[in-house]
Amino acid sequence: MAQSWASFLLLALFSSSLLVCGSNGERVFLYPQSQKVSSIVSQRYRTAYHFQPPKNWINDPNGPMYYNGIYHEFYQYNPNGSVWGNIVWGHSVSTDLINWIPLEAAIERDTPSDINGCWTGSATILPGNRLVIIYTGADPEKRQVQNIVVPKNLSDPYLREWTKAGNNPVIQPVGPGLNSGQFRDPTTGWIGPDGLWRIAVGAELNGDSAALLYKSKDFLNWTRVDHPLYSSNSSSMWECPDFFAVLPGNSGGLDLSAAIPNAAKHVLKMSLDSCDKYMIGVYDLKSDTFIPDTVLDDRRLWSRIDYGNFYASKSFFDSKKGRRIIWGWTNETDSSSDDVAKGWAGIHAIPRTIWLDSHGKQLLQWPVEEVESLRGNEINHQGLELKKGGLFEIKGADSFQADVEIDFELTSIDKADPFDPSWLLDVEKHCREAGASVNGGIGPFGLVVLASDNMEEHTAVHFRVYKSEQKYMILMCSDLRSSSLRPGLYTPAYGGFFEYDLEKEKKISLRTLIDRSAVESFGGGGRACIMARVYPVAVVDGVAHMYAFNNGSTTVRVPQLRAWSMRRAQVNVKGME
């Protein structure tokens, strides 16, 4: 039976908080700062099925690959503490992308070309099943240079030991206009029109951002091409570039080491502005350059891989299942002192299958199917109806570790509010102004997770529908502002827009993976993804709730709601080797 959203707001008001009205009419809670909360130093905030090491700092995923029946996940790792520094390559292996065996560090800072850091890089499988990793090192002068390692013993299925090339660094930051301190993160290799290998390296070139192009016959000796793969004057540096091919409307992946179909598009992904953005275009074989389909001068309008806490992603072709998989880093949003006290910091998002939509304009993402192996008992509801203010509690699933899938069906699209294109310049601002408690024509409707008994703590993941001149725009928000009573946390209202053909598709889907301090959501079949970190006191106290809700004027039907409790994965548990 649906309950009233307003009744929970009133309960929260009279229990421990003050309710004020902003200038736009939104209801905002102010919580007494003197209220005692439990310590953030709790194992309950460690995720149960997201990737993280047993302790210490983790950031970028590095060189992910599938090789001889084993998945490898390398990662930026501080073996000495839970803040950034002393970076080496951590290493774990898996047969299913979900359960991971921890190994010793694969690449350490022990040569002049990486003595000040073993930074991000990529793996490439060469003809003859030969494997090579190229990565960035910081030399004694703290110049950023590119190095090569190869497996020491191919008979070891886990590839525990690696040998550094004798001619390292294989690429140095030389050439006019190149900033030697902004030259890093080489991509996976691909074969160019002349049969030579190519890689791209993120760089600052004459004050602009660039993906510099290098070519090689043997992957050991590299020559810089006289022009970049692509460059832009909209920023000064791109980190963690990724370059890969996709086929419109085909969820299968493409192997860059093989021939690429003529109908394929290419994606150039870059990390900047604390998020991962991308362009779709063509790889012009004659000019050896990437040509975007659309060039937007304002980088705030560039497409994003994820609208939340997701950075430095790296993709690879999974030859086992013929798909492309992407991983991203998600940092903590508490303080560095909290991380030191906890003894750990950082996780990786769930690995996602990534492909291009049938229109060739947008990347779609979905959790790899293997994560479903963790599903336990299923809760299934059909034929729900959420009127304005409706709130339906989802009972029977573990509210701290869950996988929730909901289809929302609109009873009418006549009341869609008009879309303002200026919102695209600051979507988070619009999500703050159009929060879950602010009534709209269609929406907000969605999911409330990790909610305390009286809703003073809750995270709302929700949609709104807007009508532009020729299309409908869906706003997806993941609002963390009331996610925790703890002071000093970063609690934004993340958000992104995506186009949707509501004349054709009346249903809007939402899938949310809840994993203690991680809330990872996929809207519209993967058109918008939002990864978030939250630290509710409710997690430590052991009591939390989940709800489907509608706070818009238009009634929303829920033809199907499914939720599963998620079992704990074996993620880097010591003694698994």
Side-chain angles (χ1 to χ4, degrees), residues 45-81:
Y45 288 123
R46 283 186 62 87
T47 56
Y49 56 92
H50 282 75
F51 184 95
Q52 61 184 137
K55 62 180 181 178
N56 297 337
W57 169 275
I58 180 178
N59 56 291
D60 308 5
N62 295 157
M65 62 179 173
Y66 178 75
Y67 185 76
N68 287 351
I70 302 291
Y71 292 103
H72 295 258
E73 171 75 319
F74 303 91
Y75 51 94
Q76 298 282 277
Y77 179 63
N78 179 0
N80 301 327

Side-chain angles (χ1 to χ4, degrees), residues 108 126 150 153 156 185 194 384 457 537 560:
E108 299 191 88
L126 307 179
V150 296
N153 179 13
D156 174 12
D185 310 335
D194 53 6
L384 301 178
E457 286 187 322
V537 176
Q560 177 119 312

Side-chain angles (χ1 to χ4, degrees), residues 193-260:
D194 53 6
L196 300 180
W197 285 98
R198 303 284 200 280
I199 61 167
V201 181
E204 179 184 326
L205 183 65
N206 296 315
D208 295 341
S209 51
L212 298 185
L213 192 60
Y214 290 81
K215 62 182 180 179
S216 171
K217 183 178 181 180
D218 57 7
F219 227 90
L220 288 173
N221 299 280
W222 293 88
T223 302
R224 179 175 159 186
V225 179
D226 60 6
H227 59 268
L229 178 68
Y230 187 74
S231 64
S232 171
N233 61 8
S234 64
S235 61
S236 60
M237 171 64 189
W238 286 341
E239 291 190 295
C240 305
D242 200 2
F243 187 60
F244 56 91
V246 286
L247 275 173
N250 188 331
S251 60
L254 295 175
D255 184 359
L256 292 182
S257 301
I260 301 299

